[in-house]
Every structure is written in structure tokens, then in C-alpha cells.
């Protein structure tokens, strides 16, 4: 067990609960849509990022201090690039799914209402193992999770705590606004927020204007996913339906 500096990143799909509750009859298809979006983020996870956990509709990542000042600066540079990339791939996957799917169910009609919220905090954590699985824990990890439940009304934003902003702010483009949250045990927590609604709309418009070869590739990818994942899942749901026929 040892303690190290780290950057904690929580990527949360906003609108997930309402999306699933409003589409209970298509629960399997709905979860597959969520899985596609989560996978778009996970495809960007490589060194220096480590996947700690997939927590329902959220992805818990971290980047740890390798042990030297120069190496840590390299980690910080790469994390800054990754943060912007997460939103790009999420938006692209959302647009491609909507544009390429031949399905007209409620799930596919409403998947454009899903958004992405990312919370980033820099601090320290204990690195240890539980039942052979590597874990990170401590007050800074708890605070990052608390920040997912905040007073912001937006469903599409990048939130950095002040320590994270001091570390990464110069490496992440866009305009950040100052904001304060308050939590029991932590008191007032100063954060910086970049709201991304306009970015999402602009990026989605760009996705919808893809070339015909790109559109065809997206359709083929969607149909391939249907064959590999949806039909077995649909069969399972038919065998154990959530409501009687």
C-alpha cells in the first residue's frame, strides 16, 4: 500500500436514468446504446490513463504520478489532450448511431438527448489491492465522486476542481466559469466549468454532414453490432421479458 499523486476523471452519461425509465419496453436495446457510447470513451483509454471501474453510466479513470517530475508533466500533457478527445468521440458516436440506424424505436429516436459530463480532480490517493484487484481510494477520490451530484443544470460540461484546473487548465481549450459547490465533510469546493451545449450541437451538425462512404461505413458498423450483440440480447429478453406479453 502506498500513496501517490493522481488525476481522477469521471465521465458520466447524463440523461441515462430517465432514458432507461422512459424506454423500459426496449431495455436491452437501450443498454446497448449506452454501451456503444461508453465504449467510445474506453477506446481512448490507454497509457497514462487507467480504467478503475465502469459504474453503471459512468467511467472511473485515473492517471497516476510515475514518480519523477518530468514523467508527471508528460502524464499531465497527455491527460489534457484526452479530455478534449473524450467529447469528440462521444459526439461522433452519438451522431453516427442516430444517422446510421434503420431503427425507429423510442430508444433510437431519443438517443440524441443523452449528454456527457466529465469531472476532473487532482490530488492524492492510496494505491492498494482488494481480493487481488488494484484499487485507489481516499478523500480526493470520494470528492471526485461527490462532484457528480452538483447544482449545475447543464447535462454537457467539463468540470475541473481548482487543483485540477491549476494542473490542466492551460492544456484544455475553451472558456471556463468559476463556480462553487458545497458538500458535507468537504465544505465549499471551488471548481471551474466549461459548458458544452453549443459544442455538442456544432459537432453533431458536422457528424450529420459526413460523406456517403463514411455514412455507409457507419451503417455497416451498426448492422455488424446488431448481428453480434442485439439479436442474442433480444432473444434473452424474449425469454425473460420485463413485462408479460
Amino acid at each position: 500500500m502506498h500513496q501517490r499523486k493522481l488525476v481522477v476523471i469521471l465521465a458520466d452519461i447524463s440523461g441515462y436514468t430517465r432514458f432507461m425509465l422512459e424506454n423500459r419496453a426496449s431495455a436491452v436495446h437501450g443498454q446497448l446504446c449506452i454501451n456503444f457510447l461508453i465504449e467510445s470513451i474506453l477506446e481512448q483509454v490507454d497509457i497514462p490513463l487507467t480504467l478503475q471501474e465502469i459504474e453503471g453510466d459512468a467511467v472511473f479513470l485515473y492517471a497516476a504520478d510515475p514518480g519523477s517530475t518530468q514523467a508527471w508533466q508528460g502524464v499531465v500533457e497527455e491527460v489534457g489532450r484526452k479530455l478534449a478527445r473524450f467529447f469528440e468521440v462521444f459526439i461522433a458516436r452519438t451522431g453516427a448511431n442516430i444517422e446510421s440506424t434503420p431503427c425507429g424505436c423510442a430508444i433510437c429516436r431519443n438517443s440524441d438527448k443523452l449528454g456527457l459530463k466529465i469531472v476532473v480532480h487532482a490530488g492524492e490517493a492510496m494505491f492498494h489491492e482488494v481480493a487481488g484487484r488494484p484499487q485507489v481510494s481516499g478523500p480526493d477520490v470520494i470528492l471526485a465522486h461527490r462532484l457528480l451530484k452538483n447544482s449545475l443544470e447543464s447535462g454537457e460540461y467539463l468540470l475541473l476542481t481548482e487543483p485540477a484546473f491549476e494542473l490542466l487548465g492551460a492544456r484544455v481549450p475553451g472558456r471556463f466559469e468559476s463556480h462553487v459547490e458545497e458538500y458535507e465533510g468537504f465544505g465549499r469546493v471551488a471548481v471551474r466549468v466549461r459548458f458544452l451545449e453549443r459544442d455538442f450541437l456544432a459537432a453533431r451538425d458536422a457528424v450529420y454532414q459526413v460523406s456517403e462512404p463514411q455514412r455507409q461505413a457507419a451503417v455497416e458498423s451498426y448492422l455488424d453490432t446488431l448481428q453480434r450483440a442485439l439479436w442474442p440480447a433480444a432473444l434473452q429478453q424474449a425469454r425473460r421479458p420485463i413485462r408479460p406479453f
Side-chain angles (χ1 to χ4, degrees), residues 49-244:
L49 292 176
T50 298
L51 172 64
Q52 176 64 45
E53 201 75 61
I54 298 176
E55 302 171 339
D57 58 338
V59 178
F60 174 12
L61 309 167
Y62 69 85
D65 181 359
S68 72
T69 300
Q70 184 177 0
W72 178 234
Q73 288 302 313
V75 166
V76 171
E77 291 282 352
E78 186 62 25
V79 169
R81 286 192 288 268
K82 290 288 187 183
L83 289 176
R85 185 62 181 156
F86 286 153
F87 284 99
E88 292 172 6
V89 298
F90 183 89
I91 294 169
R93 183 66 60 88
T94 301
N97 284 351
I98 294 168
E99 285 293 285
S100 65
T101 177
C103 179
C105 75
I107 292 289
C108 292
R109 291 198 309 271
N110 295 312
S111 58
D112 63 337
K113 296 178 182 177
L114 296 169
L116 182 63
K117 303 179 292 187
I118 294 183
V119 169
V120 185
H121 178 49
E124 295 186 344
M126 294 301 302
F127 288 72
H128 57 103
E129 289 189 0
V130 176
R133 293 189 57 191
Q135 300 288 324
V136 293
S137 61
D140 286 312
V141 175
I142 295 172
L143 176 58
H145 282 81
R146 292 274 184 91
L147 284 163
L148 284 174
K149 304 295 183 182
N150 55 56
S151 61
L152 300 174
E153 295 183 359
S154 170
E156 294 156 348
Y157 59 77
L158 172 60
L159 181 154
L160 278 68
T161 61
E162 282 293 341
F165 189 77
E166 290 177 8
L167 195 65
L168 297 162
R171 299 169 173 84
V172 180
R175 177 176 173 270
F176 285 82
E177 301 178 15
S178 296
H179 186 72
V180 175
E181 293 290 337
E182 189 163 356
Y183 300 95
E184 183 179 355
F186 292 97
R188 292 167 62 84
V189 180
V191 300
R192 304 290 186 98
V193 185
R194 179 186 171 192
F195 295 99
L196 293 157
E197 284 87 352
R198 291 183 179 179
D199 300 73
F200 263 67
L201 291 174
R204 283 172 182 165
D205 288 343
V207 170
Y208 297 155
Q209 296 170 11
V210 297
S211 66
E212 186 56 35
Q214 290 173 313
R215 188 187 305 275
Q216 185 60 37
V219 171
E220 291 175 0
S221 175
Y222 182 87
L223 293 176
D224 179 62
T225 302
L226 280 179
Q227 183 176 5
R228 288 186 293 105
L230 184 56
W231 300 127
L235 179 60
Q236 181 179 357
Q237 182 167 308
R239 289 172 174 168
R240 298 180 180 179
I242 60 174
R243 62 179 63 177

